[in-house]
Amino acid sequence: MSERRNKTKTSKPVAKKSLRTYFGADGRSMSIVRFERLYLASFAMSLVGWAFSWQQTVDRLALDPKTASYGWLLPSALLLSCAITLALWYLVSRRASLAAKWVVTILTGLAAVRFAINLMVVARGKVPVVALLLSAAILALSIAAVVQLFRSDARLWFGEGLEPEEEEA
């Protein structure tokens, strides 16, 4: 036993962490990877919401003579929504677009305001509770995704946390 105690351990010098330490094999930070997963999960849940409300929306459009001829509007709105969501996902998580980060943040803030307004409508009994729960889940995922964009490693991904001399290197 005394031989074990007498052996001295050699200590290795602590290496200074480089930017590569904070990024994965594909060069993206873990916060950006988490953003991507949460944002796409929110998108998938919103597609579920579209599927559940599709027929009801079609019926509402068909009831009113003024909107009956706009049956093409619903699929067009879905395609446009998907295109915008996927473009923002790509720009933020693959291209490190600071502008897209802020667009996602603002849209999530507006979704939170819309959700709060919907809570008042639910109090009057005009919105199904299932729709409210689905909206709450989508909003929670969206907020969790946006929070990831403001973590320190994500700020480095967007080039926000670099000192002026580090940016030139």
Side-chain angles (χ1 to χ4, degrees):
M1 270 198 189
S2 62
E3 291 177 23
R4 282 186 175 165
R5 290 184 187 159
N6 290 338
K7 288 184 181 180
T8 59
K9 292 184 179 180
T10 57
S11 62
K12 295 179 183 177
V14 176
K16 186 177 179 181
K17 291 184 179 182
S18 69
L19 289 178
R20 293 179 191 241
T21 307
Y22 297 103
F23 298 99
D26 62 354
R28 296 182 307 144
S29 72
M30 289 308 299
S31 292
I32 294 301
V33 171
R34 282 190 297 271
F35 160 79
E36 180 177 57
R37 291 174 183 163
L38 292 164
Y39 190 72
L40 291 176
S42 170
F43 173 60
M45 287 191 81
S46 70
L47 291 177
V48 170
W50 274 89
F52 279 128
S53 66
W54 188 273
Q55 192 58 50
Q56 181 185 9
T57 307
V58 167
D59 294 343
R60 252 192 336 226
L61 284 173
L63 274 176
D64 189 351
K66 294 177 187 174
T67 59
S69 63
Y70 293 106
W72 57 270
L73 190 61
L74 193 57
S76 299
L78 175 60
L79 287 175
L80 182 62
S81 175
C82 290
I84 291 169
T85 301
L86 292 175
L88 288 171
W89 156 76
Y90 178 77
L91 291 170
V92 169
S93 67
R94 302 298 171 148
R95 294 289 176 218
S97 169
L98 191 57
K101 167 189 170 177
W102 284 104
V103 169
V104 168
T105 302
I106 290 166
L107 289 176
T108 302
L110 291 172
V113 170
R114 185 184 72 220
F115 182 77
I117 292 168
N118 283 346
L119 283 178
M120 291 182 260
V121 174
V122 167
R124 288 183 254 148
K126 293 187 178 182
V127 174
V129 176
V130 174
L132 179 71
L133 293 175
L134 187 59
S135 294
I138 292 167
L139 181 61
L141 286 169
S142 298
I143 290 172
V146 166
V147 166
Q148 297 304 311
L149 298 178
F150 292 92
R151 296 176 53 98
S152 60
D153 59 335
R155 290 175 50 83
L156 290 173
W157 167 254
F158 293 110
E160 294 177 295
L162 299 176
E163 298 296 324
E165 63 272 1
E166 290 181 40
E167 289 177 4
E168 296 171 4

